[in-house]
């Protein structure tokens, strides 16, 4: 064995340790980079580091990337549910605020005041003051219905815009993933893979995706069996709306074929579900209540007589198809004296019709329920939906956090560890340098012997 | 397990957020005094409490009705009482006038007094309460219920009932109508007495004593019936007030914050929050670099 080979080994050792310190420097520099996967110096040609099976390594640039692939793919999956519940919670709490119960301005209180005003009129059927009070409470009741319905409709309009924005974001992500795919194939790099993983996580929050890693390093991203991005192609998402009567339904589509996607999770699934079914259902219930109130109040009111003996007047505008159109009859708005309270033209002191109207509060006029019972059920349902989505969101956050911790236990940077490694590598470097020194002295010795 | 900076930071942030959220919930509950801010805080309790609130508000409306009815009934009682007094006064005059020792002149003088009594009676039965005739039936605001032309009293009202809903299933008629007053024969008895005195007919005056007595009895019966309506209403008021007291206290139990409990929870949460902050700052400072030269 020639002395010069020791030179060669020492030189390699120097370079290896220098590379290792370089890797450590990179790890420290990225300690706070979201999605960064730590690198481990590749000493395999000198000695094995004993990576366990979970830590699948990719050797590049003289270093190994330490990944926790199992946790990573689970994070992708769980993020879909997190996105779904987070969005649902947010939307339900907005809906809950629209109804603003319990409060003085909530519909239940407004309804109570409406019934009470009729009861006051029943006690004073001759009074014009009581009549104008009935008129005012009627206006407030109708407006409250209009407003609640309109606010729900506005929320829906915003949701449609929101869906478009999210789809655009998703399309951007899909395009970027496609680009990264081809870059990784032609010139693999750790940073590109980290970046792509970040994008995949973002995409998973929006819609359910399946990710398949290829031999070549690129990934095939698909949703419901339809490919969104692969190494060679990307396919974007689109939206269409179909009108069904007054209701606009928003669909998420596979842009090329126009095929409608049914989503089970992800932000987009909550957005479309609440837009397509939840809000229209609440609106339909508001419609039912408004229609029942209108029809029943009119029925009772038209049977009564006012102080001048006029009868057959509707209190509300009849035949409305939606809560948004509920309104007090313009004749009554202009002439509150048209408000009827008595059961016959001559019985001016009789308030029995006004009393009957006030008693409608006890009558089962909305699908076998009183109006307020139907209303409380509706608001209670909304509260339930909000509560359960909050609960699921909180749970899901913990699941994702736990998985992130599992992933980070393998792949995130620990400063203590890097510092320890730094000293370790520095000493290795020093030792290699000393070795060269020693070989040098050995040469001197040999040369002196020749002397 | 290998613990990295990112895991420590994530856990610290998560637990701080959790503590802050809990503190916020408790703080809002304490500052508003209400456990339930929105239906989602407790959907079941929300629905139940809403029913209670509706029941309370309905009962309050009945109490308003009852207050209003009580005024009406009190005025009715007072008026009928005075009406009865007038009949008594007429009976007194009849007893005097029946005495054989009376001359035609003194009977004529008594007739003038009786005439005044009849006027007073008519004016009483035209009494209003809050601009409404008490005894006109449901004709509460048109012409006067009673007119006197000569000795004939005519009734312009009707026999309609003024009913008030005093509880969910119970309505009562609170008025005595003019027809009932006519039927009590008070006016005819008084008019007969006046005629008998004017014509100096001692036998007829004697007859009118009996007639006036039975008219006074009839008026007492009317007074008693008003009293029984008042009792019903008073009973309903007590029932409603008790019901509302109970409902309010149940509602408060369901919905109001137990301050002692809330403050205890708040303190406990605050301590754990402070501990989290303290330990977080310690852990984050702790690393190998402090021990390397």
């Amino acid at each position: 064995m020639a002395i010069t080979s020791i030179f060669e080994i020492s030189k390699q050792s120097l370079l290896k340790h220098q590379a290792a310190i370089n890797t450590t420097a990179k790890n420290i520099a990225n300690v706070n980079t979201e999605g960064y996967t730590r690198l481990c110096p590749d000493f395999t040609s000198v000695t094995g580091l004993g990576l366990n099976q979970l830590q699948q390594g990719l050797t590049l640039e003289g270093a190994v990337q330490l990944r926790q692939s199992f946790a990573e793919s689970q994070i992708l999956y769980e993020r879909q549910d997190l996105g779904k519940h987070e969005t649902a919670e947010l939307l339900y709490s907005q809906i809950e605020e629209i109804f603003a119960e319990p409060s003085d301005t909530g519909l239940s209180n407004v309804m109570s005041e409406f019934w009470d005003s009729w009861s006051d009129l029943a006690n004073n059927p001759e009074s014009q003051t009581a009549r104008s009070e009935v008129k005012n409470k009627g206006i407030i009741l109708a407006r409250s219905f209009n407003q609640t319905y309109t606010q729900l409709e506005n929320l829906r309009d915003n949701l449609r815009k929101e869906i478009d924005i999210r789809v655009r974001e998703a399309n951007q992500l899909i395009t970027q993933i496609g680009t990264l795919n081809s870059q990784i194939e032609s010139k693999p790099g750790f940073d590109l893979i980290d970046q792509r993983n970040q994008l995949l996580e973002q995409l998973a929050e929006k819609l359910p995706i399946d990710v398949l890693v290829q031999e070549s390093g690129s990934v095939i991203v698909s949703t419901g069996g339809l490919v969104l991005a692969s190494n060679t192609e990307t396919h974007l998402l689109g939206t269409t709306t179909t009108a069904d009567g007054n209701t606009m339904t928003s669909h998420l589509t596979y842009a090329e074929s126009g095929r409608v996607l049914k989503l089970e999770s992800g932000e987009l699934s909550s957005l479309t579900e609440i837009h397509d079914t939840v809000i229209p259902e609440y609106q339909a219930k508001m419609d039912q209540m408004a229609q029942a109130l209108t029809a029943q109040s009119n029925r009772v009111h038209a049977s009564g007589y006012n102080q001048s003996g006029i009868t057959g007047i509707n209190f509300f505008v009849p035949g409305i198809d939606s809560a948004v159109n509920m309104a007090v009859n313009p004749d009554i708005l202009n002439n509150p004296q048209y408000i009827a309270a008595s059961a016959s033209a001559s019985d001016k002191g009789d308030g029995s019709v006004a009393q009957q109207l006030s008693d409608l509060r006890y009558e089962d006029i909305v699908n076998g329920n009183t109006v307020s019972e139907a209303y409380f059920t509706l608001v209670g349902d909304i509260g339930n939906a909000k509560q359960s989505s909050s609960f699921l969101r909180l749970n899901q956050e913990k699941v994702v956090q736990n998985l992130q911790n599992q992933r980070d236990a393998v792949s995130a940077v620990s400063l203590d560890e890097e510092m320890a490694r730094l000293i370790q590598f520095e000493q290795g470097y020093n030792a290699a340098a000393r070795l060269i020194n020693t070989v040098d002295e050995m040469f001197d010795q040999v040369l002196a012997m020749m002397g | 397990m290998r613990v990295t900076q990112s895991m420590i930071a994530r856990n610290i942030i998560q637990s701080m957020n959790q503590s802050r959220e809990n503190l916020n919930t408790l703080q809002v509950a304490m500052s508003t005094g209400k456990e339930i801010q929105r239906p989602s805080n407790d959907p079941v309790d929300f629905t139940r409490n809403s029913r209670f609130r509706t029941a309370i508000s309905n009962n309050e409306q009945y109490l308003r009705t009852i207050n209003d009815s009580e005024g009406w009934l009190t005025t009715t009682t007072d008026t009928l009482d005075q009406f009865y007094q007038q009949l008594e006064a007429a009976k007194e005059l009849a007893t005097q006038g029946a005495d054989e020792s009376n001359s035609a002149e003194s009977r004529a003088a008594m007739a003038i007094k009786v005439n005044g009594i009849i006027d007073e009676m008519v004016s009483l039965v035209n009494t209003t309460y809050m601009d409404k005739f008490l005894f006109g039936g449901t004709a509460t605001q048109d012409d006067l219920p009673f007119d006197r032309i000569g000795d004939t009293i005519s009734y312009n009202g009707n026999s309609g009932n003024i009913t008030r809903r005093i509880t969910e299933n119970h309505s009562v008629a609170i008025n005595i109508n003019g027809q009932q007053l006519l039927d009590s024969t008070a006016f005819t008895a008084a008019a007969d007495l006046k005629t008998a005195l004017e014509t100096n007919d001692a036998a007829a005056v004697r007859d009118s004593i009996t007639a006036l007595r039975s008219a006074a009895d009839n008026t007492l019966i009317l007074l008693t019936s008003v009293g029984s309506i008042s009792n019903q209403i008073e009973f309903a008021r007590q029932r409603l007030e008790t019901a509302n007291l109970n409902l309010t206290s149940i509602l408060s139990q369901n919905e109001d914050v137990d301050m002692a409990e809330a403050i205890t929870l708040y303190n406990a949460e605050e301590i754990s929050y402070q501990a989290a902050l303290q330990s977080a700052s310690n852990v984050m400072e702790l690393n190998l670099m402090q021990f390397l030269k």
Side-chain angles (χ1 to χ4, degrees):
Chain A
M1 195 178 75
I3 293 178
T4 46
S5 72
I6 306 177
F7 258 131
E8 193 52 39
I9 294 176
S10 306
K11 190 191 83 185
Q12 273 187 26
S13 173
L14 270 181
L15 290 176
K16 282 266 180 204
H17 282 102
Q18 193 182 335
I21 290 172
N22 186 38
T23 307
T24 308
K26 198 176 173 201
N27 281 346
I28 292 173
N30 284 302
V31 66
N32 290 323
T33 308
E34 188 63 33
Y36 176 78
T37 308
R38 79 179 158 125
L39 300 175
C40 194
D42 177 26
F43 283 107
T44 43
S45 55
V46 182
T47 173
L49 274 179
L51 303 176
N52 67 34
Q53 279 176 322
L54 281 174
Q55 300 166 342
Q56 298 162 348
L58 170 63
T59 308
L60 266 178
E61 302 154 15
V64 181
Q65 202 179 27
L66 295 169
R67 309 204 74 98
Q68 225 294 21
S69 308
F70 185 56
E72 275 177 14
S73 64
Q74 274 186 305
I75 288 173
L76 275 190
Y77 181 71
E78 298 297 343
R79 271 205 183 276
Q80 301 165 10
D81 274 347
L82 181 60
K84 174 183 177 176
H85 300 314
E86 260 178 356
T87 311
E89 184 191 10
L90 186 78
L91 294 178
Y92 279 120
S93 86
Q94 286 182 9
I95 295 173
E96 196 177 38
E97 286 308 313
I98 288 178
F99 283 87
E101 294 288 352
S103 77
D104 289 347
T105 50
L107 243 181
S108 78
N109 199 44
V110 170
M111 276 194 276
S112 270
E113 289 185 357
F114 177 69
W115 303 129
D116 288 350
S117 71
W118 281 103
S119 159
D120 284 343
L121 178 62
N123 293 341
N124 283 299
E126 307 87 354
S127 163
Q128 293 307 320
T129 323
R131 280 191 168 68
S132 67
E133 195 59 15
V134 165
K135 181 192 85 172
N136 289 337
K137 298 296 179 194
I139 293 171
I140 295 172
L141 179 67
R143 280 211 191 124
S144 299
F145 267 98
N146 303 158
Q147 207 179 11
T148 309
Y149 188 97
T150 312
Q151 282 176 327
L152 286 172
E153 194 56 40
N154 290 346
L155 180 61
R156 266 191 103 218
D157 289 345
N158 286 333
L159 282 183
R160 258 197 306 278
K161 288 178 199 134
E162 189 65 28
I163 290 170
D164 283 343
I165 292 170
R166 297 289 165 97
V167 166
R168 221 175 300 142
E169 285 171 0
N171 281 341
Q172 247 167 30
L173 291 171
I174 292 167
T175 316
Q176 286 171 346
I177 290 168
T179 315
L180 282 171
N181 258 343
S182 51
Q183 282 174 349
I184 287 167
E185 278 206 342
S186 60
K187 190 175 172 294
F190 294 135
D191 298 344
L192 297 177
I193 294 172
D194 286 345
Q195 212 180 326
R196 188 181 61 193
N197 278 351
Q198 285 286 100
L199 296 178
L200 285 172
E201 278 194 30
Q202 288 173 24
L203 186 61
E205 275 198 15
K206 300 198 192 320
L207 75 161
I209 52 169
D210 292 313
V211 177
L212 190 68
V213 184
Q214 301 285 95
E215 197 83 24
S216 62
S218 63
V219 288
I220 297 176
V221 184
S222 58
T223 181
L226 298 168
V227 174
L228 297 173
S230 72
N231 55 340
T232 49
E233 47 190 344
T234 53
H235 302 278
L236 299 183
L237 302 167
T239 50
T240 56
T241 42
T242 50
D244 173 22
N246 283 336
T247 328
M248 294 276 282
T249 311
S250 198
H251 301 295
L252 187 67
T253 57
Y254 197 56
E256 273 164 38
S257 60
R259 189 169 146 189
V260 173
L261 298 174
K262 281 259 170 272
L263 304 182
E264 297 296 328
S265 57
E267 290 169 352
L268 279 164
S269 79
S270 282
L271 287 169
T272 46
E273 191 199 341
I274 290 175
H275 174 274
D276 292 353
T277 48
V278 175
I279 296 182
E281 190 185 309
Y282 294 159
Q283 285 176 322
K285 289 192 175 153
M286 296 298 292
D287 288 347
Q288 277 182 351
M289 284 183 248
Q291 284 166 344
L293 273 174
T294 299
Q296 297 297 326
S297 304
N298 283 348
R299 176 181 62 81
V300 175
H301 189 262
S303 75
Y305 294 79
N306 80 344
Q307 293 290 291
S308 333
I310 297 173
T311 183
I313 304 271
N314 282 323
F315 185 77
F316 289 112
V317 174
I320 52 162
D321 58 350
S322 157
V324 78
N325 297 325
M326 188 176 183
V328 175
N329 184 355
D331 289 344
I332 283 178
L333 287 184
N334 297 329
N335 309 295
Q337 67 267 26
Y338 279 173
I339 294 173
S342 317
S344 81
S346 52
D347 286 346
K348 293 182 184 174
D350 170 56
S352 59
V353 167
Q355 186 60 51
Q356 262 182 56
L357 223 150
S358 177
D359 287 347
L360 280 178
R361 74 172 96 188
Y362 297 117
E363 280 183 33
D364 297 338
I365 56 176
V366 185
N367 288 336
N369 277 317
T370 62
V371 185
S372 50
E373 196 58 29
Y375 178 70
F376 294 148
T377 310
L378 170 61
V379 178
D381 281 352
I382 295 168
N384 253 326
K386 157 90 193 324
Q387 193 194 34
S388 67
S389 58
S390 279
F391 177 75
L392 290 170
R393 190 264 306 158
L394 202 66
N395 257 1
Q396 198 62 22
E397 252 175 15
K398 291 203 173 118
V399 169
V400 170
Q401 191 189 2
N402 200 16
L403 286 169
Q404 283 174 328
N405 282 347
Q406 281 181 18
R407 181 194 62 190
D408 285 1
V410 174
S411 62
V413 176
S414 157
L415 281 179
D416 289 349
E417 188 178 318
E418 297 303 327
M419 292 312 292
R421 285 273 167 82
L422 184 61
I423 291 161
Q424 185 194 348
F425 297 150
E426 189 188 357
Q427 284 179 348
Y429 186 86
N430 288 348
R434 174 62 58 87
L435 207 56
I436 288 174
N437 236 344
T438 309
V439 178
D440 185 34
E441 281 169 19
M442 284 165 74
F443 260 113
D444 281 352
Q445 206 62 40
V446 171
L447 289 175
M449 275 162 46
M450 288 166 70
Chain B
M1 193 176 184
R2 187 175 166 270
V3 178
T4 65
Q5 262 74 20
S6 63
M7 289 156 74
I8 292 171
R10 183 180 299 124
N11 293 343
I12 288 171
I13 291 170
Q14 200 273 336
S15 67
M16 280 195 305
N17 279 344
Q18 186 69 53
S19 285
R20 279 222 155 272
E21 196 180 330
N22 292 349
L23 283 173
N24 182 47
T25 312
L26 285 166
Q27 201 278 328
V28 171
M30 285 197 292
S31 65
T32 58
K34 297 271 178 244
E35 201 91 67
I36 297 178
Q37 307 291 329
R38 283 290 177 252
S40 55
N41 296 138
D42 189 335
V44 177
D45 262 1
F46 163 76
T47 318
R48 197 166 44 205
N49 292 347
S50 299
R51 287 192 194 113
F52 287 146
R53 256 193 294 277
T54 309
I56 291 171
S57 138
N58 291 348
N59 287 349
E60 275 168 1
Q61 182 62 26
Y62 292 129
L63 286 169
R64 269 164 69 102
T65 303
I66 285 174
N67 279 343
D68 185 66
S69 310
E70 278 180 341
W72 174 282
L73 286 167
T74 312
T75 320
T76 306
T77 312
D78 290 350
T79 312
L80 282 179
D81 196 47
Q82 289 175 41
F83 190 78
Y84 175 77
Q85 301 300 335
Q86 296 301 323
L87 283 175
E88 285 293 309
K91 206 168 73 187
E92 192 97 347
L93 285 170
T95 318
Q96 274 182 42
D99 198 286
E100 294 294 346
S101 62
N102 281 302
S103 63
E105 286 71 27
S106 69
R107 286 213 172 97
M110 285 177 198
I112 292 168
K113 279 189 185 166
V114 172
N115 189 44
I117 286 173
I118 294 175
D119 275 344
E120 184 58 27
M121 282 165 67
V122 171
S123 141
L124 278 172
V125 294
N126 281 335
T127 303
T128 60
Y129 172 74
M130 313 252 290
D131 286 341
K132 296 196 273 193
F133 295 120
L134 281 175
F135 303 106
T138 53
T140 48
Q141 274 190 333
D142 303 314
D143 311 318
L144 288 174
F146 290 90
D147 279 331
R148 179 180 179 190
I149 298 157
D151 283 342
T152 319
I153 312 293
S154 62
Y155 176 53
N156 307 315
N158 58 31
S159 53
N161 285 334
I162 291 177
T163 51
R164 293 283 161 89
R165 178 62 54 97
I166 53 168
T167 63
E168 191 175 332
N169 306 309
H170 191 185
S171 295
V172 287
I174 57 167
N175 66 319
I176 300 291
N177 63 54
Q179 195 56 50
Q180 287 169 287
L181 287 169
L182 280 185
D183 292 347
S184 75
T185 67
F187 292 113
T188 43
D192 288 351
L193 171 62
K194 185 185 162 235
T195 318
L197 288 168
E198 278 168 350
T199 52
N200 198 17
D201 178 349
V205 172
R206 248 191 315 281
D207 288 347
S208 74
I209 297 176
T210 331
L212 282 167
R213 187 173 297 128
S214 98
D217 287 349
N218 289 339
T219 312
L220 271 184
I221 291 169
L222 290 179
L223 258 172
T224 318
S225 78
V226 175
S228 104
I229 295 166
S230 290
N231 284 346
Q232 281 183 50
I233 284 185
E234 184 52 32
F235 182 72
R237 169 206 287 285
Q238 281 169 14
R239 211 177 60 80
L240 288 168
E241 278 172 351
T242 317
N244 263 8
L245 200 66
N246 291 338
L247 286 170
T248 314
S249 96
I250 296 171
L251 188 62
S252 153
Q253 270 173 27
N254 281 345
E255 178 173 76
D256 289 356
V257 172
D258 178 350
M259 277 298 168
E261 191 191 338
I263 290 168
T264 315
L265 285 175
Y266 187 88
N267 287 343
E269 193 63 50
E270 197 183 348
I271 288 167
S272 78
Y273 183 48
Q274 278 172 350
L277 290 178
Q278 187 61 50
S279 63
S281 82
N282 287 353
V283 168
M284 286 172 91
E285 271 179 25
L286 205 61
N287 63 51
L288 186 58
M289 271 164 295
Q290 292 175 330
F291 302 94
L292 296 175
K293 278 163 284 177

